[in-house]
Amino acid sequence: MMTLEEMQFGALLLTSVLTIDLASRSLKHVGAAYNRSRWLLAGGIGLLAVQFLLQYTLHFRAMGVTQGVAVNLVFFMLTSWLVSLAILNLQRRGHLQRWEWLMGGGCWLVAVAILAVGTLGGGGNLWGDGLAQGLDGLARGLPLRDTPQMRTAEKCAALVFSLMQIGYSALHWKEFSRIKHALNNYYDGDEKHQLLRWMEKSVYLLGGLALMAPFVIFISGGVLFVYSVFLIGFIYYSVSRFINYGAENAMQQVETAEECNEEETPVEGRVGEAISQWTAARGYCRQGLNIQQVADTMGIKREQLRLWLRVQDMSMPPG
């Protein structure tokens, strides 16, 4: 059976390769929102690689479960924050609000402050003399130690981690539901399924694994090993699908643009005129229409109608 050190080394290699792959891909035709999500995802996976490097080289788990948990919390929270922002940024087409950025960063700072008091304090009450002892321990450069105060601090930090992830998971599901509803108007069933499947799985898995992390990291042995395997598998799946989505979307945009450029009449004007005539004839009153049937009725190509709808949708901030 693979040892914990071997798994950490394998995870280090995988996350390092994925980080380099994400950072080196620059797609011109997918928009700023995708590329910003790409950098957020690369930052999150890169921090996870640093965490595996520290665990592998400094052997925090060998010192004890408590020492390993402290390091995991610091890096897992950062990774979860950046990956959550990457997904939300893609769902929102780049329209992230300031509080959505600050929520994760604020939670991380609170958790680090709690861990600092618990880790550096020599004992006593975490909220009483713990701060003074923590500052004294920081001045003396004490290493990570397994104390009741440190274990209490880690439980408090894990609670902050859970609350942060619950907040981001709720935002993910709200946006995913909005996108799913919106795509009912733009795509046929099979195409919609292909577009939503990877995002739906990513939202499910990220939410589940991140919500489990504050509890699983306190456990050693087989449970932690199984969780780590699932975590690594999720990372590989999500990053690979994210990259494929960007490449496929970029290719589709190029093909659509080339097709539209071949038209003598500007596409926007032609589609706009066709939609005006279709609306005036109350074509929208028919039930069970899909985008192909609407395009045929208007006498235009489906890709032209889809491109026009995308342009109109992207020109408005998400509701």
Side-chain angles (χ1 to χ4, degrees), residues 11 15 17 28 84 103-104 161 170 173 190-191 231 276 300 306:
T15 51
V17 170
K28 298 180 180 179
S84 295
M103 179 173 70
F161 187 2
W173 275 111
D190 291 341
E191 295 171 318
L231 177 64
S276 298
I300 60 177
R306 180 184 296 170

Side-chain angles (χ1 to χ4, degrees), residues 175-186 192 196:
E175 291 305 314
F176 177 75
S177 299
R178 180 187 62 81
I179 292 172
K180 187 175 182 179
H181 176 74
L183 289 182
N184 285 330
N185 300 321
Y186 296 171
K192 181 181 67 177
L196 293 176

Side-chain angles (χ1 to χ4, degrees), residues 215-236:
F215 307 98
V216 175
I217 57 178
F218 288 94
I219 304 173
S220 60
V223 175
L224 180 62
F225 183 85
V226 172
Y227 174 82
S228 300
V229 171
F230 274 103
L231 177 64
I232 295 170
F234 160 73
I235 292 170
Y236 177 77

